């Protein structure tokens, strides 16, 4: 496939502060940090992986807000109304929010890479284990607390479902602005192909806790240039501060260490 092992994905373990997250690139003692490069040829097909079952109730959508790292769409997670189950998961997980990571240009922007290839953006749908834990905040601290579905975005045709979100972005241009967002079904942002990779990882933003079962969809969704440009009109900064464009809000690749990436497909 694309690159010889390691050469293009070499990284040096640095404990320097990463400018964006102001926290160590790698958690001292961290053994399952995210994101990682997914080397297709090294992923192991697991025939026991079940299909992922996704059932979202569009009326659980609450609001969109700019938290200074990304823009996120939050959901009412007070009951089992928007949930995922199956796949690598032993429990049912509730949708809490989804958000994106993107670059200043189309050559990079995703957090995960496949054979060292960056995509221009990556969607994360964040779910928590409401069977074993009482709140999202509690689940964030537990090894099996979270399940995040990652979907790559590639440059191509305009995505009509995404456009609803894009149209709302001017209203959340500045950090800590929020608007009500009544009905939205995030399943429209998922590729129809059921294939995915899965591995044990972490949050890619503070607190970087090692609590995430990652489910990375093999197929990207297509969005057009104007839609990616709309992401880049957002700001890291609040009203009144000197404007800094919200771009390159992705964490650098982290070492795979003693982990295997499994695939749901041959
Ligand atoms: C604390 C809220 C939160 C998450 F729970 C989460 F999983 C991710 S991420 N990039 O790993 O999907 C976030 F970026 C994030 F801000
Ligand atoms: Zn994310």
């Amino acid at each position: 496939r694309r690159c010889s092992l390691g050469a293009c994905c070499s990284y040096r373990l640095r404990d320097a502060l990463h400018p964006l997250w102001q926290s160590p690139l790698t958690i001292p003692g961290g053994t399952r940090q995210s994101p990682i490069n997914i080397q297709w040829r090294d992923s192991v097909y697991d025939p026991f992986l079940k299909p992922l079952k996704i059932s979202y109730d569009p009326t659980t959508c609450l609001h969109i807000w700019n938290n200074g790292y990304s823009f996120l769409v939050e959901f009412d997670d007070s009951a089992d109304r928007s949930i995922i189950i199956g796949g690598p998961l032993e429990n049912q997980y509730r949708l809490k929010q989804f958000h994106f990571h993107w670059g200043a240009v189309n050559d990079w922007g995703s957090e995960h890479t496949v054979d060292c290839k960056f995509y221009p953006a990556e969607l994360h749908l964040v779910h928590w284990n409401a069977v074993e834990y009482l709140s999202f905040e509690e689940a964030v601290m537990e090894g099996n607390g979270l399940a995040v579905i990652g979907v790559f975005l590639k440059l191509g045709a305009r995505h009509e479902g995404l456009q609803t979100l894009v149209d709302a972005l001017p209203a959340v241009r500045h950090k800590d602005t929020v608007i009500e967002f009544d009905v939205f079904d995030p399943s429209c942002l998922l590729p129809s192909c059921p294939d995915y990779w899965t591995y044990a990882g972490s949050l890619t933003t503070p607190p970087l806790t090692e609590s995430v079962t990652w489910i990375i969809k093999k197929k990207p969704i297509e969005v057009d240039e104007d839609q990616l440009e709309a992401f880049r009109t957002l700001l890291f900064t609040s009203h009144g501060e000197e404007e800094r464009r919200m771009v390159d809000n992705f964490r650098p690749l982290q070492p795979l260490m003693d982990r295997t990436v499994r695939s749901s497909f041959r």
Side-chain angles (χ1 to χ4, degrees):
R1 297 199 186 277
R2 282 179 65 95
C3 67
S4 64
L5 207 54
C8 61
C9 299
S10 64
Y11 53 79
R12 277 183 308 105
L13 268 193
R14 296 183 296 273
D15 54 11
L17 288 187
H18 184 262
L20 192 52
W21 306 138
Q22 295 312 317
S23 57
L25 282 179
T26 309
I27 290 281
T31 59
R32 51 175 281 195
Q33 288 291 296
S34 295
I36 59 168
N37 172 56
I38 297 169
Q39 202 65 33
W40 196 315
R41 71 165 91 173
D42 294 343
S43 60
V44 178
Y45 168 61
D46 180 348
F48 298 103
L49 280 173
K50 302 186 190 70
L52 189 62
K53 279 190 274 187
I54 297 170
S55 154
Y56 294 148
D57 172 350
T59 64
T60 54
C61 188
L62 294 173
H63 48 250
I64 300 187
W65 70 292
N66 175 334
N67 70 349
Y69 288 119
S70 179
F71 69 93
L72 47 156
V73 181
E74 291 200 303
F75 288 78
D76 170 6
D77 60 350
S78 58
D80 286 334
R81 291 168 60 195
S82 287
I83 51 113
I84 57 172
I85 192 165
L89 306 172
E90 281 164 23
N91 295 121
Q92 176 175 279
Y93 286 66
R94 265 184 214 167
L95 176 65
K96 169 79 179 166
Q97 51 108 321
F98 68 80
H99 62 273
F100 298 81
H101 303 263
W102 60 91
V105 292
N106 297 338
D107 304 311
W108 61 76
S110 60
E111 295 216 296
H112 292 86
T113 54
V114 179
D115 293 346
C116 305
K117 171 195 164 71
F118 282 93
Y119 285 88
E122 185 173 332
L123 159 65
H124 289 156
L125 295 134
V126 181
H127 310 75
W128 60 280
N129 181 343
V131 171
E132 295 192 7
Y133 308 112
L134 296 174
S135 71
F136 173 78
E137 288 68 26
E138 183 191 344
V140 165
M141 309 310 287
E142 302 294 333
N144 66 342
L146 302 185
V148 182
I149 298 177
V151 181
F152 294 117
L153 276 62
K154 72 178 260 196
L155 191 58
R158 175 183 155 108
H159 194 293
E160 287 313 323
L162 185 73
Q163 194 56 36
T164 329
L165 288 178
V166 166
D167 292 340
L169 295 185
V172 289
R173 186 158 182 262
H174 291 89
K175 179 182 176 195
D176 295 332
T177 49
V178 58
I179 56 154
E180 196 180 298
F181 205 59
D182 286 349
V183 179
F184 183 78
D185 180 357
S187 0
C188 78
L189 299 174
L190 296 170
S192 51
C193 177
D195 295 348
Y196 61 85
W197 289 285
T198 184
Y199 77 96
S202 73
L203 299 191
T204 66
T205 64
L208 301 171
T209 40
E210 298 185 331
S211 54
V212 181
T213 300
W214 281 95
I215 300 168
I216 307 285
K217 301 294 281 184
K218 180 184 84 174
K219 290 278 192 200
I221 58 169
E222 287 191 23
V223 299
D224 72 12
E225 179 64 34
D226 291 345
Q227 293 177 315
L228 286 169
E229 275 303 319
F231 285 15
R232 301 177 183 128
T233 63
L234 294 172
L235 301 175
F236 282 127
T237 42
S238 313
H239 273 294
E241 285 181 42
E242 184 183 352
E243 295 197 349
R244 279 186 300 115
R245 289 190 322 134
M246 184 180 275
V247 291
D248 297 335
N249 56 352
F250 55 89
R251 190 190 191 196
L253 290 171
Q254 300 296 309
L256 183 61
M257 303 184 107
D258 181 25
R259 290 180 285 183
T260 301
V261 177
R262 290 182 289 162
S263 66
S264 70
F265 58 94
R266 277 192 180 285

